[in-house]
Amino acid sequence: MACNALSSLNFVVPKHFLFSDSLHYAARSRLALPPPSRVASIPLPPTSADYLAGEFSGRGVAFEAIGDDCVARLSLDDGSSAVLMLPRGLVTSYKAPMWHGARMELLQTVVSEGEDGGGAEVRGGVCVDVSVEGDGEGGRVSWRPRDWAVRDVRGNSGDSVQVELISRDSEGMVDVRYVLTLREQVLSTEMEVSNSGTTTVELRGSILSHLNVSTPDATYAVGLEGSDFFRRPPFSSSFRIVPPEFDQKSKLGLGKLWEKFKPQGFASGNDYGMEDEMEGEEDDNYKRLTDEMSLIYTSAPTNLTIIDRGRRNSVVVGKDGYDELYLYSPGSQHEHYSKYAYICVGQSALLKPVVIGPGEVWIGGQHLHNPNV
């Protein structure tokens, strides 16, 4: 019944849903980051809800304790809201007003039991999942920012709210700022990586967004025609939602290949022994995401529109700084509107790292724009 209902929809895509007409929002959602500063010698502030509420109350953000951790709840007067988990830095919710008057959850998250029967584990949403590699005093250093501390909160509920997080490596070589901004119809996630060392560092990874959809069968990516891509297995991540059949595939022989994608590091596509014929060019400007796919586009447009005909909404995904776009669909074999009904989009540096020289600062980000009002 659900499948027939979806296939019978005569859904006309409004002009403002198309990526080519959404470029206007990129400049509007560009973050105005304060000047970078050296912070390695400054102790990180605590992440307790009581401390954060006392320090940053009255700025459109509320802090709430969740066990030993806490969440930051961002909200605007127009009804837009977002939830940020601390210290993981995982955005678990982004609700935006829709054309029909109600608010809709645009992100997909899954809560499951942790490994070895541990506490609850949350996956999905929007996450910063990157690694930084460089030469330290003791040799090659690889570091993944995981524990984020709140450095500042700016704005107000009437205009925009911005939460600035910070993480740094134990060598004092790299400072990473992660800024989440909620404004009318836009949620922006931006990183600023400052190389304070004397040697070059490389940034790999992605800003991943799990977008909630009715089913991939009713979902389309608009604007990718002519973009070069590589097919790659889904990379492993503690933030990713992974359907159970992927674990089975790993046991059946893909484990050695997938091992390359573990969070210990990301490598160039050629390092996996894959041939050049795995590269292709997208020939569909209205790409239906029915099939299971894991693709890295190397020449994707600045803005990409994801349209869900089942929920009758769309999301425009914009990028800054990154050269690659990661697109993943678990396929349509799962139940409609289920926990595996999602599309994963990531602004990434998976095939080719971002190279940051001594004293240099790199900024990259992703913007989720809601054009449905």
Side-chain angles (χ1 to χ4, degrees):
M1 289 292 292
C3 183
N4 292 335
L6 287 173
S7 62
S8 64
L9 284 175
N10 183 19
F11 182 55
V12 179
V13 181
K15 182 180 179 182
H16 68 274
F17 275 19
L18 301 180
F19 90 103
S20 59
D21 294 293
S22 63
L23 297 176
H24 68 280
Y25 95 90
R28 179 165 63 94
S29 61
R30 175 72 177 175
L31 300 181
L33 288 173
S37 60
R38 188 74 170 94
V39 296
S41 60
I42 303 175
L44 294 178
T47 56
S48 71
D50 290 341
Y51 169 81
L52 294 172
E55 188 74 13
F56 302 113
S57 62
R59 305 182 190 180
V61 181
F63 295 93
E64 177 185 337
I66 304 291
D68 295 333
D69 302 327
C70 73
V71 297
R73 301 186 184 276
L74 293 69
S75 59
L76 298 180
D77 295 342
D78 74 340
S80 301
S81 65
V83 177
L84 172 67
M85 287 186 64
L86 298 169
R88 291 186 70 198
L90 178 66
V91 182
T92 60
S93 174
Y94 172 36
K95 293 182 179 179
M98 293 289 147
W99 55 270
H100 44 66
R103 294 193 310 155
M104 182 177 290
E105 177 60 69
L106 299 182
L107 301 182
Q108 182 80 324
T109 56
V110 171
V111 180
S112 59
E113 185 178 9
E115 295 182 2
D116 301 323
E121 184 177 67
V122 183
R123 291 174 176 258
V126 179
C127 66
V128 172
D129 194 10
V130 297
S131 68
V132 181
E133 298 182 2
D135 294 323
E137 294 181 359
R140 194 69 174 172
V141 177
S142 180
W143 169 65
R144 300 179 67 80
R146 279 291 183 264
D147 292 325
W148 298 96
V150 178
R151 190 183 184 197
D152 198 6
V153 176
R154 296 177 285 270
N156 59 77
S157 61
D159 182 24
S160 65
V161 179
Q162 189 174 82
V163 178
E164 179 185 343
L165 307 178
I166 187 167
S167 185
R168 57 174 177 263
D169 71 314
S170 59
E171 299 277 333
M173 180 175 60
V174 179
D175 301 327
V176 181
R177 289 200 293 170
Y178 162 12
V179 182
L180 181 71
T181 301
L182 176 67
R183 64 184 71 204
E184 185 178 354
Q185 309 307 331
V186 178
L187 181 71
S188 295
T189 308
E190 191 163 42
M191 295 177 57
E192 180 189 88
V193 183
S194 302
N195 181 5
S196 305
T198 58
T199 60
T200 296
V201 299
E202 295 182 347
L203 175 76
R204 298 182 185 271
S206 181
I207 297 177
L208 290 173
S209 293
H210 295 73
L211 302 180
N212 191 348
V213 300
S214 58
T215 171
D217 190 55
T219 305
Y220 300 79
V222 183
L224 288 172
E225 185 177 15
S227 301
D228 296 329
F229 67 84
F230 284 83
R231 292 184 177 90
R232 290 293 184 267
F235 59 89
S236 178
S237 167
S238 59
F239 296 103
R240 291 285 307 276
I241 299 175
V242 181
E245 65 267 20
F246 287 144
D247 291 335
Q248 183 64 25
K249 288 180 180 179
S250 182
K251 295 175 182 177
L252 293 177
L254 290 179
K256 290 183 178 180
L257 180 60
W258 289 15
E259 191 75 15
K260 298 286 188 178
F261 287 83
K262 278 194 171 182
Q264 283 77 3
F266 299 92
S268 166
N270 293 331
D271 293 339
Y272 297 100
M274 295 186 175
E275 301 297 333
D276 289 341
E277 60 258 31
M278 297 299 289
E279 183 179 8
E281 181 179 312
E282 186 59 63
D283 59 3
D284 192 347
N285 198 52
Y286 199 74
K287 184 178 182 65
R288 194 173 189 179
L289 304 180
T290 301
D291 298 329
E292 179 185 311
M293 64 184 69
S294 179
L295 305 172
I296 300 174
Y297 289 87
T298 57
S299 55
T302 301
N303 296 273
L304 169 73
T305 299
I306 302 295
I307 297 177
D308 180 5
R309 298 181 65 177
R311 290 172 22 129
R312 300 180 69 85
N313 77 293
S314 67
V315 178
V316 180
V317 184
K319 67 175 180 177
D320 288 322
Y322 287 96
D323 292 330
E324 303 168 3
L325 179 135
Y326 177 68
L327 179 63
Y328 168 77
S329 171
S332 298
Q333 68 272 28
H334 304 286
E335 181 182 357
H336 294 183
Y337 301 95
S338 71
K339 64 181 179 180
Y340 298 123
Y342 67 91
I343 299 298
C344 188
V345 180
Q347 311 306 329
S348 65
L350 296 172
L351 298 176
K352 182 180 179 181
V354 174
V355 179
I356 308 171
E360 293 183 350
V361 177
W362 176 85
I363 294 177
Q366 177 176 266
H367 314 287
L368 301 180
H369 171 56
N370 167 41
N372 302 289
V373 292

